[in-house]
Amino acid sequence: MGRSAIIVGSGAGGSVAAWALATAGYRVLILEKGRNLLPGLGTTGPIGSLFGNDEVKAGRFFENQDIVLEPRTARSQSEAEQGVARSFVGDVNTLPTVVGGGTVHWDAKTPRFWRQDFKGLSLYGPVPDANVADWPLTYDELAPFYDEVEQRLGVQGDVAQMPAATLAQAPRSQPFPMPPNPPMYGGTLLAEGARRLGFTAYPFPMAVNSTAYDGRPRCNSCGFCSGYGCPINARGGAAVSFLHHALLAGARLEPRAFVYRVNASRSRVTGVSFIDESGRQRRVDADVVILGASAIETARLLLLSGLGNGSGQLGRNLMFHFFTIAGGVFNEDVHSWRGPSTTFTIDDFVGPVQGAAAAAAGLPYLKGGICEVGGTLLLLGEAQTFAAIPNSWGKQHKDLMRSGLIRRHVAGLSMVGEDMPQLANRVDLDPDVRDVYGFPVPRITHSAHRFEIAASTYFGPQLAAVCQAAPGALAAFVLPVATLTEATGPGGPFAGIASTAHIMGTARMGDDPDTSVVDAFGRAHELDNLYVADGSVFVSSGGFNPTLTIMALSLRMARHLTGA
Amino acid sequence: MPAGVGRRAFLKAAGALGLLALVPRRRLEALVASAPGPGQDGRFLTAHELDTLRAVTARFVPGAPDDPDPGALEAGVAEAIDLLLAAFTFEPPLIHAGGPFSDRAGATHDDFADFVPLDAHAELGWRIRIEGSLGMPQREFAGPVTGLQEIYRSGLAHLDERSQQAFGVDFKDAPGPAQDLLLSDQTDGDLQTFVGAALANTLEAMYGPPEYGANRDLVGWGYSRWPGDLQPRGSTDAEVSTPGPDTGSITGALLDDLQRFLPALGGRRASRTQFWLGRSGIPRS
């Protein structure tokens, strides 16, 4: 008999580990809290989809964790200092709860982290009031795993169009498996605006099929992309690219299995306890336990289990990303919804930028992030936006819907701003609120660091300038959404903590057991056979969509386990 | 699903997985055809409540004579909300339309009309959301919840009460501007709780897929010039990469409007007290 592994969560980290272990002879059991909405997954038949071009369903907790059953609570750092238990109960940073996790409806953008992201402390020094550290590994150690994940996932891109600075920071040894999708029109206008200002927009690497790949069809640009499950599985992801093959290799998947405790005996874990689909409490043992439940749920599970927190760092250093949005308004119908959300990116705002703006904020440097170029809202999203001010319904609302002002005439930019890790930004167990299973829900304490606000203030006008410089732009705006959220607090009109869907940092990796939770391979310092395979392990958040890096780290961990 | 994969193969695959059973039934046409008319009881709401809700939704999305294009009445919005409130009188419940395709963009079968069954976990969430916790311990693990049914029932009654006080007639019989006055009273918190739910559900019904019971004759996608769901046909490369047909006349007034609504672009999230909301769009007031 080979070795056995239990994997908690079937998202980006869990599914990659499942595939790597199952194909290496491990007996793998994946416990997933959500349902399977991809009929045929793991069978020799075709993989289907119960998703559709349906904005209503997407808003009805089809694949997302139902906040009635499993709410999360939130408060700001200052509320925590004042002893406020929580100021918000509801949806904090949407946790997809479904087979395949967030990659079932992800935007599928797959930038790599840069060399500098792994060595922030040694390259640029400490940041006041932040917990900056180096990762215990380098870009070069991770690069082969980036390569392999890109191949299996099916990533499109064009190395020839990538800026030299990007390739210097994230060198590539191979081309992308597929060429880029057709460029979205609004994005091409903003890309030209960027070029006029001396910036470089280039085709965004993404796990979207521009040609048939791995038995899945070419993307046909229906437009219901980020936030929507793909009806034709033209988008790669944890489920279709990894879990499917893991199941074919003999891994077992148990959906609707809520793991509430990791069981341990001295320095080893023995397995997990969970509640199954029928509500029965069960226990299962294995040689290895791997947690890939998300940076919020993994931290919560370890806290519920009373494990892995010898450093006091568990749950801390929670990072989200700090989005800044800008947009250009065009008289033309630029239909920035038609395509895979966005097809261009700009890396010129990643930073670091040293100088007056940073010094004015009392900071050694500023960093922004990658910039998604040329997106907008779909119809219902636009209708909801135009209804967002009290009493804005009626004929005026209908007139705006006729104009299609946002849908057809705005092309947006969205900068994925890097978050600083802070000890006080954390996940812990809410002292009062329980979920449907009877367990304390995760409580999120979060406030932005002045680093993020200063960076958004610094880069925001540059984003707006790109929009204004685009051919045919009538007007441009910048919208520091995260700053607005910050200013109004968790219970304020910007409802809740920034909903970025990027969650990182609650079980950071490091070499020193006194200052980190897991080692460079994701293994818990205090437990010989417990591993973490999700965004929890991130030491810094980078200015990049995190999923490809989660997958590469998980693959590296799994290969370490199998000795391959 | 990949091109060339027929529905039969798809269903077979679904069955093989044994996790979800699709019930292939065309019943939306039947439901819409048998929708209650004015003065008739709805599936959850009484005749009077349904008539009152029609009047409310017609202020949110007006048609003739206030607007040249069809509005909520023509789209069947109130009837669709009544269906949502009665979702659990159908099997499977009318919560999540099926997938992957409707029959509007090249597929021969309307999968959307085959609603996805809820499993026990999802059903509990939606029963709490629609029916409320009703004092049942298994629904009150995080405290009592007022369901949508009660929010509508008490909200509609409250509207009549306010209308009688102010104008001496039921809400549905008050003139349009008087109805607007009541609906926009931001000092009445109970009323705005109802307005928040009813407006959110109105927009879903008006601009969402017709399988949810409204957007009849696709009127919501007509004046908004929206192609709706595009799978499996999708877009052509030329449609993606060249300007669309709807060159606008973006005026200064429109730009001012955009400025007003910009802050909402960041998205709003549902809270425990606004559990009927999806992911964005409606303010807590």
Side-chain angles (χ1 to χ4, degrees):
Chain A
M1 283 298 252
R3 284 163 61 80
S4 60
I6 293 166
I7 299 177
V8 181
S10 65
S15 284
V16 169
W19 169 75
L21 294 179
T23 52
Y26 268 63
R27 283 174 292 125
V28 175
L29 171 65
I30 303 124
L31 299 172
E32 165 57 53
K33 194 161 63 161
R35 275 193 293 176
N36 178 30
L37 300 173
L38 302 171
L41 190 78
T43 72
T44 51
I47 307 175
S49 173
L50 288 172
F51 294 96
N53 289 174
D54 180 351
E55 283 188 271
V56 174
K57 183 163 67 176
R60 286 189 177 176
F61 307 99
F62 186 52
E63 76 275 27
N64 287 331
Q65 184 157 299
D66 189 330
I67 55 168
V68 163
L69 300 173
E70 300 174 76
R72 297 168 288 286
T73 64
R75 58 182 181 168
S76 66
Q77 287 182 12
S78 63
E79 285 168 337
E81 283 158 18
Q82 292 155 25
V84 176
R86 74 199 66 75
S87 58
F88 181 84
V89 183
D91 185 6
V92 179
N93 228 327
T94 317
L95 295 179
T97 300
V98 64
V99 169
T103 64
V104 157
H105 67 194
W106 65 325
D107 194 12
K109 300 302 189 276
T110 54
R112 297 180 176 194
F113 272 38
W114 285 6
R115 280 188 160 142
Q116 65 183 18
D117 294 312
F118 297 92
K119 300 294 164 194
L121 183 63
S122 47
L123 285 172
Y124 306 115
V127 171
D129 308 316
N131 193 17
V132 177
D134 286 347
W135 293 53
L137 74 165
T138 62
Y139 175 88
D140 295 323
E141 287 171 89
L142 199 55
F145 302 98
Y146 276 137
D147 288 347
E148 188 174 351
V149 168
E150 284 177 355
Q151 289 293 329
R152 175 142 293 280
L153 199 51
V155 170
Q156 59 164 273
D158 183 358
V159 177
Q161 294 188 57
M162 293 176 81
T166 301
L167 292 172
Q169 281 283 349
R172 305 184 56 84
S173 61
Q174 60 178 31
F176 291 98
M178 283 177 276
N181 250 49
M184 291 165 66
Y185 180 66
T188 60
L189 298 178
L190 297 185
E192 172 60 16
R195 194 194 60 78
R196 289 174 178 179
L197 297 181
F199 301 128
T200 305
Y202 67 94
F204 211 149
M206 55 180 153
V208 170
N209 288 357
S210 61
T211 59
Y213 195 87
D214 190 25
R216 296 176 291 103
R218 174 184 193 259
C219 166
N220 61 13
S221 295
C222 69
F224 288 67
C225 203
S226 181
Y228 300 87
C230 185
I232 61 172
N233 289 313
R235 179 172 52 199
V240 297
S241 306
F242 292 94
L243 183 58
H244 178 64
H245 299 286
L247 296 173
L248 288 174
R252 284 199 307 125
L253 167 68
E254 186 152 343
R256 281 291 193 233
F258 169 62
V259 177
Y260 60 88
R261 193 173 64 229
V262 177
N263 300 312
S265 173
R266 289 188 292 278
S267 67
R268 293 188 66 79
V269 295
T270 55
V272 301
S273 294
F274 67 103
I275 298 172
D276 72 11
E277 187 175 21
S278 62
R280 278 189 306 156
Q281 295 197 2
R282 285 160 58 191
R283 189 188 159 127
V284 58
D285 291 343
D287 297 320
V288 177
V289 173
I290 298 169
L291 306 182
S294 83
I296 290 176
E297 290 284 2
T298 288
R300 176 198 185 204
L301 176 56
L302 286 172
L303 290 166
L304 283 171
S305 308
L307 293 176
N309 197 20
S311 65
Q313 294 286 317
L314 179 63
R316 296 187 181 275
N317 308 304
L318 174 67
M319 298 172 285
F320 286 145
H321 276 153
F322 200 78
F323 279 74
T324 300
I325 293 175
V329 187
F330 300 85
N331 211 23
E332 274 188 322
D333 176 358
V334 296
H335 55 72
S336 297
W337 57 270
R338 197 190 282 277
S341 300
T342 55
T343 50
F344 293 94
T345 183
I346 299 171
D347 290 354
D348 293 286
F349 312 119
V350 170
V353 174
Q354 285 144 329
L363 297 166
Y365 60 89
L366 297 176
K367 289 177 83 180
I370 205 165
C371 199
E372 301 168 346
V373 177
T376 189
L377 301 174
L378 304 181
L379 183 74
L380 181 57
E382 182 183 46
Q384 290 167 335
T385 301
F386 289 144
I389 295 175
N391 305 339
S392 56
W393 37 262
K395 185 158 191 325
Q396 53 176 340
H397 188 272
K398 218 171 157 194
D399 286 340
L400 285 164
M401 293 307 290
R402 266 187 289 263
S403 79
L405 183 58
I406 296 174
R407 242 177 323 134
R408 279 196 294 268
H409 301 292
V410 166
L413 279 176
S414 176
M415 186 182 78
V416 181
E418 177 165 345
D419 267 20
M420 274 295 133
Q422 302 177 63
L423 286 172
N425 282 352
R426 63 185 298 200
V427 173
D428 67 356
L429 301 176
D430 192 285
D432 305 307
V433 180
R434 296 287 184 276
D435 70 8
V436 67
Y437 303 104
F439 290 90
V441 306
R443 175 173 66 180
I444 287 85
T445 303
H446 187 272
S447 289
H449 191 280
R450 64 182 185 277
F451 179 91
E452 287 99 83
I453 293 171
S456 182
T457 306
Y458 177 77
F459 290 112
Q462 298 182 48
L463 306 184
V466 167
C467 298
Q468 189 68 66
L474 302 174
F477 60 84
V478 60
L479 186 65
V481 274
T483 304
L484 288 169
T485 303
E486 199 59 32
T488 52
F494 293 91
I497 284 175
S499 302
T500 61
H502 298 174
I503 315 170
M504 299 155 281
T506 55
R508 65 162 42 178
M509 54 167 54
D511 292 326
D512 183 351
D514 291 334
T515 57
S516 59
V517 180
V518 300
D519 71 12
F521 291 101
R523 192 184 66 160
H525 286 305
E526 300 155 43
L527 296 148
D528 297 340
N529 54 342
L530 176 68
Y531 290 79
V532 176
D534 56 30
S536 308
V537 304
F538 282 34
V539 179
S540 61
S541 65
F544 304 96
N545 315 60
T547 301
L548 188 78
T549 300
I550 293 174
M551 289 179 162
L553 288 167
S554 179
L555 183 58
R556 182 170 178 269
M557 174 206 72
R559 290 283 153 72
H560 176 68
L561 270 171
T562 61
Chain B
M1 74 187 76
V5 176
R7 178 172 176 78
R8 190 171 300 276
F10 174 76
L11 284 173
K12 201 174 155 199
L17 199 66
L19 293 171
L20 292 160
L22 284 174
V23 185
R25 262 199 296 174
R26 288 295 292 249
R27 53 137 174 241
L28 262 295
E29 282 94 346
L31 276 177
V32 169
S34 65
Q40 293 182 315
D41 280 344
R43 290 177 173 81
F44 173 77
L45 298 172
T46 66
H48 178 77
E49 287 168 337
L50 189 52
D51 284 342
T52 309
L53 184 59
R54 282 193 185 94
V56 170
T57 62
R59 300 319 296 170
F60 291 162
V61 187
D66 296 325
D67 189 274
D69 289 311
L73 287 185
E74 292 83 356
V77 166
E79 292 83 351
I81 293 174
D82 178 53
L83 274 182
L84 175 65
L85 297 175
F88 284 102
T89 59
F90 299 93
E91 186 53 47
L94 304 180
I95 306 290
H96 298 132
F101 310 136
S102 80
D103 55 2
R104 289 180 287 275
T108 53
H109 179 86
D110 182 5
D111 304 321
F112 283 24
D114 303 327
F115 276 69
V116 181
L118 302 177
D119 67 4
H121 183 87
E123 176 172 340
L124 178 60
W126 279 94
R127 282 202 184 268
I128 294 172
R129 184 173 280 109
I130 290 176
E131 300 169 351
S133 57
L134 305 174
M136 300 179 201
Q138 71 272 26
R139 295 190 185 185
E140 300 205 331
F141 49 87
V145 178
T146 306
L148 272 179
Q149 291 178 344
E150 175 58 22
I151 287 170
Y152 274 87
R153 185 142 273 162
S154 62
L156 291 165
H158 184 57
L159 260 187
D160 270 345
E161 198 180 306
R162 290 285 314 272
S163 182
Q164 284 288 353
Q165 282 168 8
F167 311 115
V169 294
D170 282 344
F171 180 83
K172 70 181 174 59
D173 299 321
Q179 292 175 334
D180 287 350
L181 207 59
L182 287 177
L183 289 171
S184 55
D185 180 359
Q186 295 291 329
T187 67
D188 187 339
D190 290 344
L191 183 70
Q192 291 307 322
T193 295
F194 162 75
V195 166
L199 180 55
N201 291 145
T202 293
L203 297 178
E204 283 182 351
M206 192 75 207
Y207 298 111
E211 284 79 3
Y212 290 97
N215 193 7
R216 287 182 194 165
D217 300 325
L218 307 181
V219 294
W221 294 349
Y223 60 83
S224 63
R225 283 169 291 157
W226 180 244
D229 53 288
L230 286 182
Q231 291 287 6
R233 187 171 60 229
S235 307
T236 64
D237 291 359
E239 282 175 316
V240 173
S241 300
T242 58
D246 292 307
T247 293
S249 47
I250 304 300
T251 61
L254 269 178
L255 290 177
D256 288 347
D257 278 331
L258 183 62
Q259 214 151 21
R260 287 169 59 220
F261 289 104
L262 273 183
L265 274 179
R268 291 158 194 277
R269 293 289 153 155
S271 72
R272 181 77 190 182
T273 55
Q274 288 185 300
F275 49 84
W276 56 85
L277 295 183
R279 49 184 55 175
S280 68
I282 312 297
R284 57 180 69 220
S285 43

